[in-house]
Amino acid sequence: MSVDLSVDDNRPWWHGAVIYQLYARSWRDASGDGIGDLRGIVDRLDHLAWLGVDAIWLSPTMPSPDKDWGYDVAGYTGVHPELGTLADLDELIAAAGRRGMRVLLDLVPNHTSTEHPWFVEAASSRDNPYRDYYVWVDPDADGNPPNNWKDFTGEAAWKLHETGQYYLHNFLEEQADLNWWHPAVHQEFRDILQFWFDRGVAGFRIDVAHGLYKDAELRDDPVKTDGGPLESVFGLDPVYSANRPETHDVYRDWRKIADGYSPSRVLLGETWVPTPERMAAFQGDNDELQLTFNFPFAYASFDGRELADIVQRTMAALPPGGCPIWMSSNHDIGRFASHWCDGDERKTRLAMLVLATLPGTTVLYYGDEIGMGDVEVPLALRRDIATLDGGGEGNRDRARTPMPWDATPGGGFSAPDVTPWLPMGDGPGPNVADQRADEDSVLWLCRRLLALRKAEFGGTVADYEQLPSADGVWAYRVGPLVVATNFSDAPADLPAVSGEALLATDGAVPAAPRQVLGPWEGVIMRLAVDDDRV
Ligand code: GLC
């Protein structure tokens, strides 16, 4: 099967699909410099085709000084020389297409690198035509910034520039926030979308999707000291420094551009908001983003009741025609095999079964397929400036380490004598080759789950219904299937359903109808046609 983006087929291919987030610097180093690259990805695409993913989302690929590893973009229509060339990216899109897979890029519209030519121009004088591309403010009478907004490191989000004004940076000071009140910024990004869509890019993951517009009056963010990382930023609720209603107009505009292509290009937002309802608002009346990351789900405890509640609320909040999306690993929040599963393989298998059987779109992060956990990166080897001070969960390098392809020195990521940009991690963690050779492995379970997902849900957002079940058990009907999962250390009764068992977390087809689920076990069944829930 190959993907022909010129075919006039507007079915949303992402419905029922699996997108694989591929951190390009850490997947496969073909050039031998210790950094993953586009040619390395082309070389290993067969792994993804074998696994059964429908699309790849590449972490930032555009030129960047790498203060924030590509999230500080210095040019929106190029390729970072460390990763390859535009021709390599064209080849990757074509090679993925030949294997039936599409390619999404990461787009960063909230800010640019201060090395981007727009900022260099803007900073050159107060009357430069690019000045208004960014947010500039005069110091107050005491020389202070205009408000209390904080950046990603907890410091003031304003940098006093030699031209006598402050500029806004909600992330690092080398990442200047764009001024979305300025019409020229809108036109620049329309052109950027079209540039990539015309090249065959299937869509974008949109960085900081909730952030673009800032309050016109630059009011102080209210103090909020309770709540988790989705609710407050260093003790402030970002209601004015982000989350402004005008941002929705941008997505309505972009959606028209995306829908102008056949098939429609997909816009997947990094909607960093604390509730499913606020997340769903970014899908509008199904006229804004088609997909919106569900961080309340990703951050939930690994508890069936809590997850079930978020799934139910998500399904209720989406607009007609909307599509949910599920994941719990990425390059910021870490890997689910660690934060959900604590390295317990039974839990990792259960998490995978849940992710693969929820309706809509599932996103796996590279390494999830082998149950890879976070890697402890010694302080001296850490590369993420923004979280250098943070231990444990605050340290983002832990989930950006090279993909372990095999057990050889270098892990099959780079040549054995090359030092990778981040360490592989000590000790015998999981690797692809060993698991590929073992049909009982997590990798094979993942592959079977994705095949089942494609066969049962491909092209659809299956309807979802929570079923009554015993304590500790989360059971749901999804399309023609029933999924029963035991989120406890004790055996649990299965809900009474008549039907055929298809797959369990041990990777096998259960031999006989099951009445009991083992601790942290999950099973997928097909409802018998005479069951009135079908
Ligand atoms: C997003 C990215 C993160 C980056 C930040 C600023 O949250 O996922 O890695 O640091 O935006 O661009």
Side-chain angles (χ1 to χ4, degrees), residues 429-495:
N431 71 62
V432 175
D434 287 356
Q435 292 204 9
R436 184 85 190 246
D438 171 8
E439 294 204 13
D440 296 330
S441 64
V442 171
L443 179 62
W444 277 84
L445 170 67
C446 183
R447 181 172 189 251
R448 289 183 188 121
L449 286 166
L450 299 198
L452 186 89
R453 178 176 184 81
K454 184 167 294 197
E456 300 293 337
F457 308 148
T460 66
V461 178
D463 55 320
Y464 170 91
E465 175 196 7
Q466 199 174 313
L467 301 176
S469 53
D471 261 6
V473 173
W474 173 19
Y476 47 93
R477 182 184 66 75
V478 52
L481 306 181
V482 164
V483 178
T485 57
N486 181 4
F487 279 76
S488 82
D489 284 320
D493 290 339
L494 263 176

Side-chain angles (χ1 to χ4, degrees), residues 500-519:
E500 177 200 0
L502 299 179
L503 188 59
T505 36
D506 64 3
V509 179
R514 306 281 301 270
Q515 262 116 44
V516 171
L517 278 174

Side-chain angles (χ1 to χ4, degrees), residues 68 71 111 171 175 205 207-208 270 331-332 396 400:
D68 190 14
Y71 287 105
H111 46 264
F171 290 86
Q175 293 167 295
R205 176 266 191 187
D207 191 59
V208 194
E270 187 207 17
H331 62 291
D332 297 326
R396 300 190 297 183
R400 300 176 177 184

Side-chain angles (χ1 to χ4, degrees), residues 165-183:
Q165 288 187 304
Y166 284 99
Y167 68 84
L168 177 67
H169 59 89
N170 272 330
F171 290 86
L172 299 177
E173 66 178 60
E174 295 89 351
Q175 293 167 295
D177 278 60
L178 284 161
N179 172 19
W180 278 89
W181 293 100
H182 188 42

